[in-house]
Amino acid sequence: MSRDQKFFDMYSLVIGALIIFALAILVLSMKMSDLTQGIYTRDVAEYQSDLAGRIRPLGQVYRAGEEHASSAPTVETTAEPEPVATAMSGPQVYNAACLACHGAGIGGAPVLGDAVEWAGRIAQGRDLLIEHALQGFSSATGYMPPKGGRLDLSDSEVEAAVDYIIDESK
Ligand code: HEC
């Protein structure tokens, strides 16, 4: 065998090995991309819609008059916990909301414990006093704001305060 022939054989062997190696890498890379992205076996339409979703622009421009369903993500909200009812007692409400005026007779408010001043008012009946306390009241002496200006109080809290005032002023 000539040296040229020997070189040629060796050369073909190396080239062949390289081709097999390259093919192996090709097959392996196809297998890998299939495993990780599934682009060879997955439905093309599904893949394209997935892709469109990934490269979707953040915003879209609509002209006036055009109507489009919002593509903004809907925010899931968890139900607000029910506020725990913490009703105040009559005296508590009185101290917090009524004392300011009824403690010293500010603005013509009938003073708590002043039986003479309260007698005529109590004579109107509890229901009317409660109504006046809830809705506000103004006669000769001054102006009583609805719920004493504390609209955050519940009706029953104001009621309890009126009961307290009546009890203390008889
Ligand atoms: C800003 C001052 C003010 C506050 C605060 C206030 N009052 Fe009065 N209240 C008055 C005045 C003034 C009157 C007298 C109004 C009149 O007769 O002209 C009055 C009258 C009343 C009367 C008698 C109503 C009637 O028919 O004669 C009741 C009952 C009463 N207030 C309950 C309350 C209660 C309960 C609170 C607290 C939740 C409260 N008030 C807070 C000023 C106030």
Side-chain angles (χ1 to χ4, degrees):
M1 198 190 277
S2 73
R3 277 188 67 195
D4 278 354
Q5 182 65 42
K6 217 172 162 187
F7 171 78
F8 185 76
D9 282 354
M10 201 59 205
Y11 189 74
S12 323
L13 200 70
V14 168
I15 292 291
L18 282 176
I19 288 173
I20 289 171
F21 185 62
L23 281 176
I25 286 180
L26 182 72
V27 169
L28 201 69
S29 72
M30 283 173 73
K31 186 73 195 156
M32 278 308 286
S33 60
D34 198 26
L35 279 178
T36 54
Q37 297 161 36
I39 56 171
Y40 296 109
T41 50
R42 270 170 64 192
D43 185 18
V44 175
E46 188 195 333
Y47 172 73
Q48 282 179 341
S49 79
D50 263 16
L51 183 70
R54 280 200 293 275
I55 62 174
R56 177 173 59 89
L58 280 180
Q60 279 164 308
V61 176
Y62 298 134
R63 271 166 296 159
E66 278 184 321
E67 293 261 345
H68 288 273
S70 166
S71 62
T74 47
V75 181
E76 297 239 355
T77 51
T78 49
E80 287 266 317
E82 284 284 316
V84 182
T86 52
M88 288 193 285
S89 68
Q92 283 176 324
V93 176
Y94 173 80
N95 286 331
C98 322
L99 174 84
C101 296
H102 287 277
I106 306 294
V111 178
L112 180 90
D114 186 335
V116 179
E117 224 189 317
W118 277 101
R121 299 183 190 267
I122 293 172
Q124 303 173 100
R126 175 180 178 266
D127 287 351
L128 192 69
L129 289 183
I130 287 170
E131 193 190 308
H132 286 168
L134 289 175
Q135 273 147 40
F137 176 67
S138 181
S139 74
T141 57
Y143 173 65
M144 158 76 201
K147 292 188 176 180
R150 285 285 304 273
L151 296 178
D152 56 307
L153 293 173
S154 72
D155 287 6
S156 53
E157 281 172 327
V158 175
E159 245 175 72
V162 173
D163 282 340
Y164 172 72
I165 292 176
I166 294 174
D167 278 352
E168 293 291 306
S169 310
K170 277 200 272 219

